[in-house]
Amino acid sequence: MKITELSLPKNVIQFYMDSGITEIYPPQADAIRRGLLDGKNIVAAIPTASGKTLLAEFAMLKSVLNGGKAIYIVPLRALASEKYDRFSQFASLGIETGISTGDFDSKDEWLGKYDIIVATSEKVDSLLRNKASWMYDITVIVADEIHLINSPDRGPTLEITLAKLMKLNPKAQILALSATIGNASELAKWLDAELVQSDWRPVELREGVLFGKAIKFMDGGKEVDATNEDDAIALSVDTIREGGQCLIFANTRKNSESMAREVGKAIQDLIDPDDDNKLAELAGEIRETGETSLCEKLASCIENGAAFHHAGLLGGHRRIIENGYRSNVIKVIACTPTLAAGLNLPARRVVIRDYRRYDANFGLTPIPVLEIKQMCGRAGRPGLDPYGESVLIAKSLDEFDMLMENYVLANPEDIWSKLGVETTLRTHLLSTIATGFAQSREQLFDFIESTFYACQQERWSLEHVVDAVLEFLEKEGMIIRSGDDIHATELGELVSRLYIDPVSASIIIKGLKSVDDATTFTLLHLICQTPDVRKLYLRSNDGSWVNELVERHRDEFICVPDPYEKEYEWFLAEAKTAMLFYDWICEEHENDIIKKFGIGPGDIRALCELAEWLMHSTAELSALLGLRFTQDARDLVEQIKYGASPELLKLIKIKDVGRVRARRLYNAGYTDIAKLRDANPKAIMRLVGTRIGIKIMRQLGVDVEATDRKTGQANLLEF
Ligand SMILES: Nc1ncnc2c1ncn2[C@@H]1O[C@H](COP(=O)(O)OP(=O)(O)OP(=O)(O)O)[C@@H](O)[C@H]1O
Ligand SMILES: [Mg+2]
């Protein structure tokens, strides 16, 4: 089917022709035949790289150019930025795209001015809880990577969000995009959608298993033309010699780091000199924007042409790596599943080094077929590579047979709703009541009837869980029941808007009410007691220093359990986590924090984001209940955000300053913005480096060149 045959506005057709898309792929044509352009709901469960985004684009453009509004829901921030960049190209059609992945308890009314809004499912859930008015204007709802519903921690949010959006906008068109799954027809039934299924892929993807020196595919074999003790390295060298790029999936962060280091050594001689310079530039960027040993490790891998990519890295560094790889400067990335879903990357070959990963309950466990297929699907993307290969590695003949049968030849699993768990329902039921989606027990069940859960399970299986949750919410003063009616109290509404677990709210309130005084450490430890803050593990050598810490702060804890009680171990983990935040705001060096707590810089940021949000919630709860900790908690929010003491907060808000540079400036006497503005730019550059110094001074309105001329000194820009 030609693009010119589609019932789309002329300028849209021209837009695609100009970008080289003239024919539509067979599964895309199937979706059109089934009513994609007539407003029909569609579930597209078609292979990776088969162009699912284009289906969403067609439906969104058609509706938006008619005055509608579209929301595009994604599971990951990296995917959100990729889609945002893509949809921003529609600006030439007069269509504005917005992105929102950030703060949870805001309405973000400003987002309403956009025609297409890209957001994570958590963000959309929070916008619904905060009753953003533009939510009622949505005409197209896209759920990308909808198989995420299967995830125990994030699936229910996506499921509830979709159910609410459908209720709010019953006429909106729904598109659910998914890789191949076992039970796509159940999804289609839930969403009242047409099902598009196919195994057609625009670029051939050969899936195989390596054993010894050869890869065995379904339709033949291939010798690997490189040798190395480590098969994944041999496969990478072989790919680069063939002119391609390689993506290696490892099962732990440490493994991805050592992989990148070793691959780097093996490929450095294969990199051409032009790229060597570009790699040095990328490594320089990493060093300039991170000062930990992990950043140094990353920079030296990148110098050799390989990088590692995992959630312990800073978000900005992950972007540098993704872009460096997209522009074919970085040749190999060794990653954890951070890059498994939805991204368009130029990987000629995907290597899956481990088919198992560690699970806290079950030890080393095989990775589901659905996830492995997602990883494989990063190889062979249209416009980026002429073909793709994905390779699992077998260490024995038995393992070879098993990998062939259980992965290469296997079909992905069915997906299951994970909604029926008390911890999950607690927060979602409260928000369903607080936002007016249900005002009686019966209406709650009607609402549950509209979820995917109800398509898979009987209503009675949830009754006792729902009743237990309602009882809890009533006891905590978050809802009131009279007769059949249920409504949220002011407290219940606040907890729903804050987007925290009702149990977290209850712990915070009880804690605040039980003390007369609260130090910084008291408040930090209090938020660490909530289920919303992920606790750091207690490692075997942590015992003694954490115990010492408990002694030092003994009077500041709201309650210290008996060391012989079984919850004591848990308490120590909370104390250790609180100490991380304490060290962070006391400006301990990031490298020392990383060593002491055994985490990466990206983890510090992710944990601090959680702490900031819970501390903000503490301030709001304290304010609502008229308690005395509101201001203390508000001050701490800022400190956690920037990782600094209060005296630095003004300086730190200048872009590019950060906690380390702010301290250097402050200690040198530049204690506020006015003093900094009056300073000699050269002195500032000496403290923070030339490039950053110039950037800072320019932001403050200082004409750096004029100062230069006035003093007759050598050009500052060459300083
Ligand atoms: N009809 C077409 N002609 C040419 N290129 C196309 C066409 N449709 C899509 N593409 C291109 O194919 C690439 C892959 O598309 P897309 O990212 O939508 O895949 P996907 O099906 O969502 O895969 P995944 O399951 O991995 O998310 C994109 O670069 C897109 O521009
Ligand atoms: Mg996709």
Side-chain angles (χ1 to χ4, degrees):
M1 195 185 268
K2 296 227 173 315
I3 192 125
T4 43
E5 295 169 45
L6 303 181
S7 84
L8 283 169
K10 273 206 183 88
N11 55 345
V12 171
I13 291 185
Q14 194 57 48
F15 172 87
Y16 284 106
M17 303 278 285
D18 291 348
S19 64
I21 295 185
T22 50
E23 291 274 344
I24 58 168
Y25 295 152
Q28 294 170 337
D30 193 16
I32 288 175
R33 274 191 294 273
R34 285 168 192 271
L36 175 81
L37 298 178
D38 311 313
K40 285 266 177 65
N41 295 347
I42 303 272
V43 168
I46 52 181
T48 53
S50 60
K52 292 182 280 291
T53 322
L54 196 73
L55 297 178
E57 291 178 13
F58 287 165
M60 295 194 297
L61 289 173
K62 183 148 193 184
S63 177
V64 162
L65 287 170
N66 227 348
K69 189 180 282 301
I71 188 148
Y72 193 102
I73 309 171
V74 288
L76 297 168
R77 286 186 191 192
L79 197 54
S81 346
E82 188 183 293
K83 296 303 168 202
Y84 171 72
D85 290 346
R86 164 69 189 157
F87 304 153
S88 295
Q89 293 172 5
F90 302 148
S92 62
L93 297 169
I95 289 168
E96 300 280 334
T97 303
I99 179 167
S100 177
T101 53
D103 286 350
F104 281 138
D105 71 327
S106 58
K107 269 194 207 216
D108 288 355
E109 285 297 348
W110 56 271
L111 271 176
K113 73 176 172 65
Y114 294 107
D115 307 302
I116 299 176
I117 293 137
V118 182
T120 56
S121 41
E122 284 74 16
K123 182 66 202 184
V124 183
D125 188 10
S126 108
L127 288 167
L128 283 163
R129 290 167 181 231
N130 285 283
K131 303 181 183 164
S133 60
W134 55 267
M135 283 284 179
Y136 291 88
D137 307 333
I138 292 171
T139 51
V140 179
I141 302 162
V142 185
D144 198 1
E145 309 284 333
I146 197 172
H147 45 267
L148 180 84
I149 281 196
N150 200 42
S151 145
D153 22 291
R154 303 192 50 214
T157 303
L158 175 60
E159 192 178 336
I160 290 278
T161 302
L162 283 176
K164 284 184 180 167
L165 282 173
M166 288 193 277
K167 229 180 177 90
L168 217 54
N169 305 288
K171 292 209 177 106
Q173 180 182 18
I174 301 159
L175 302 179
L177 313 179
S178 158
T180 318
I181 50 171
N183 54 341
S185 57
E186 270 183 349
L187 270 182
K189 191 169 140 236
W190 171 43
L191 299 170
D192 190 19
E194 294 285 323
L195 176 60
V196 177
Q197 269 182 310
S198 156
D199 51 14
W200 186 91
R201 205 178 187 275
V203 176
E204 189 195 9
L205 173 64
R206 300 177 89 199
E207 295 180 47
V209 179
L210 175 90
F211 180 54
K213 275 190 68 75
I215 312 171
K216 172 97 176 72
F217 296 108
M218 289 261 287
D219 56 353
K222 188 175 191 178
E223 282 273 316
V224 176
D225 186 24
T227 43
N228 194 291
E229 254 171 56
D230 191 309
D231 291 330
I233 297 177
L235 283 164
S236 311
V237 171
D238 184 54
T239 318
I240 290 164
R241 283 198 190 137
E242 274 186 22
Q245 287 170 269
C246 189
L247 198 59
I248 305 173
F249 285 96
N251 64 354
T252 64
R253 292 178 183 185
K254 280 265 162 300
N255 286 348
S256 73
E257 290 168 19
S258 54
M259 224 36 282
R261 193 182 55 232
E262 296 308 318
V263 170
K265 284 185 203 157
I267 64 168
Q268 57 183 339
D269 296 336
L270 302 174
I271 310 264
D272 68 56
D274 261 4
D275 284 342
D276 269 336
N277 293 337
K278 291 181 191 152
L279 287 167
E281 256 171 54
L282 290 183
E285 253 182 86
I286 299 277
R287 288 193 175 102
E288 196 169 90
T289 46
E291 53 234 347
T292 62
S293 48
L294 187 71
C295 300
E296 180 47 45
K297 214 191 243 179
L298 176 62
S300 43
C301 286
I302 290 181
E303 279 168 339
N304 291 339
F308 52 89
H309 189 288
H310 58 59
L313 292 178
L314 296 174
H317 287 178
R318 278 183 260 168
R319 293 301 92 74
I320 293 177
I321 298 166
E322 289 154 27
N323 294 335
Y325 186 75
R326 282 201 169 103
S327 52
N328 194 11
V329 176
I330 294 175
K331 306 294 175 195
V332 180
I333 300 184
C335 59
T336 57
T338 41
L339 293 178
L343 295 171
N344 270 304
L345 296 167
R348 175 81 53 89
R349 186 180 274 162
V350 162
V351 176
I352 298 162
R353 195 167 177 268
D354 318 277
Y355 71 95
R356 291 179 300 180
R357 71 168 156 246
Y358 188 74
D359 177 289
N361 297 317
F362 303 106
L364 264 186
T365 328
I367 300 172
V369 181
L370 182 63
E371 266 187 65
I372 294 275
K373 297 274 181 198
Q374 288 281 359
M375 297 176 193
C376 298
R378 291 322 102 208
R381 309 288 293 188
L384 298 177
D385 271 298
Y387 62 89
E389 288 174 358
S390 68
V391 186
L392 285 143
I393 297 173
K395 292 179 197 72
S396 67
L397 213 46
D398 282 348
E399 199 169 75
F400 172 84
D401 289 340
M402 184 277 291
L403 290 174
M404 264 302 187
E405 186 162 330
N406 291 2
Y407 287 106
V408 177
L409 302 172
N411 289 319
E413 299 82 359
D414 286 1
I415 57 167
W416 286 93
S417 165
K418 300 293 191 296
L419 197 60
V421 183
E422 190 169 338
T423 44
T424 305
L425 278 177
R426 223 159 36 207
T427 173
H428 288 302
L429 290 189
L430 176 62
S431 88
T432 305
I433 297 165
T435 43
F437 280 95
Q439 259 140 18
S440 66
R441 186 173 178 278
E442 215 31 57
Q443 284 180 10
L444 260 186
F445 277 101
D446 283 350
F447 178 73
I448 290 168
E449 279 302 313
S450 69
T451 62
F452 186 48
Y453 184 91
C455 288
Q456 297 192 307
Q457 312 274 347
E458 300 293 336
R459 166 186 165 141
W460 61 262
S461 62
L462 263 193
E463 290 208 350
H464 70 284
V465 193
V466 170
D467 286 329
V469 169
L470 291 178
E471 217 162 279
F472 169 82
L473 294 174
E474 188 174 33
K475 182 168 76 64
E476 296 296 325
M478 296 182 200
I479 59 168
I480 292 178
R481 288 194 277 187
S482 60
D484 282 342
D485 279 3
I486 307 180
H487 68 266
T489 59
E490 211 180 335
L491 172 64
E493 286 194 5
L494 176 64
V495 173
S496 159
R497 279 202 309 277
L498 288 171
Y499 205 71
I500 55 176
D501 186 333
V503 168
S504 297
S506 159
I507 290 172
I508 291 171
I509 293 169
K510 286 196 183 107
L512 294 181
K513 281 185 171 169
S514 68
V515 288
D516 295 326
D517 272 324
T519 63
T520 294
F521 199 82
T522 314
L523 293 177
L524 288 176
H525 180 253
L526 178 60
I527 60 166
C528 291
Q529 290 178 279
T530 66
D532 280 312
V533 173
R534 188 162 49 87
K535 254 60 80 195
L536 292 173
Y537 288 113
L538 218 51
R539 296 171 301 180
S540 50
N541 53 351
D542 283 339
S544 63
W545 77 261
V546 180
N547 270 310
E548 258 170 48
L549 156 88
V550 170
E551 278 320 309
R552 210 168 343 120
H553 292 275
R554 181 164 279 277
D555 297 339
E556 297 173 75
F557 292 102
I558 293 173
C559 167
V560 180
D562 189 316
Y564 298 104
E565 294 290 330
K566 63 178 185 315
E567 70 256 30
Y568 192 70
E569 184 104 341
W570 192 242
F571 164 79
L572 291 181
E574 291 164 0
K576 177 180 169 185
T577 314
M579 197 61 202
L580 163 72
F581 301 133
Y582 194 74
D583 282 358
W584 176 243
I585 65 177
C586 291
E587 299 173 39
E588 293 296 334
H589 196 288
E590 211 172 325
N591 239 348
D592 297 335
I593 299 183
I594 286 170
K595 250 191 241 137
K596 181 166 163 188
F597 295 92
I599 53 177
D603 300 298
I604 301 181
R605 299 311 185 286
L607 276 164
C608 285
E609 238 174 64
L610 278 178
E612 196 189 322
W613 162 43
L614 266 293
M615 194 55 81
H616 164 73
S617 303
T618 305
E620 295 299 303
L621 289 168
S622 165
L624 179 78
L625 300 173
L627 304 170
R628 316 188 263 121
F629 306 102
T630 314
Q631 197 51 49
D632 290 346
R634 282 196 184 137
D635 293 343
L636 272 173
V637 170
E638 291 264 289
Q639 281 186 254
I640 299 169
K641 181 176 183 136
Y642 295 105
S645 354
E647 66 205 28
L648 295 192
L649 292 179
K650 283 202 186 90
L651 290 178
I652 248 173
K653 287 179 188 165
I654 306 172
K655 198 166 167 289
D656 293 316
V657 170
R659 61 203 289 267
V660 175
R661 296 190 183 109
R663 174 52 65 198
R664 245 180 253 156
L665 292 168
Y666 189 94
N667 288 353
Y670 305 104
T671 51
D672 58 33
I673 295 189
K675 287 192 181 130
L676 197 56
R677 195 180 286 122
D678 291 340
N680 178 346
K682 245 184 167 177
I684 302 303
M685 285 179 219
R686 226 171 272 125
L687 285 168
V688 298
T690 316
R691 231 170 51 84
I692 302 283
I694 292 173
K695 273 192 184 172
I696 294 175
M697 296 312 273
R698 282 191 179 147
Q699 272 181 76
L700 298 178
V702 177
D703 183 346
V704 180
E705 287 84 353
T707 320
D708 225 10
R709 283 191 298 275
K710 209 162 62 197
T711 53
Q713 289 162 344
N715 191 342
L716 281 175
L717 304 174
E718 291 162 7
F719 180 75

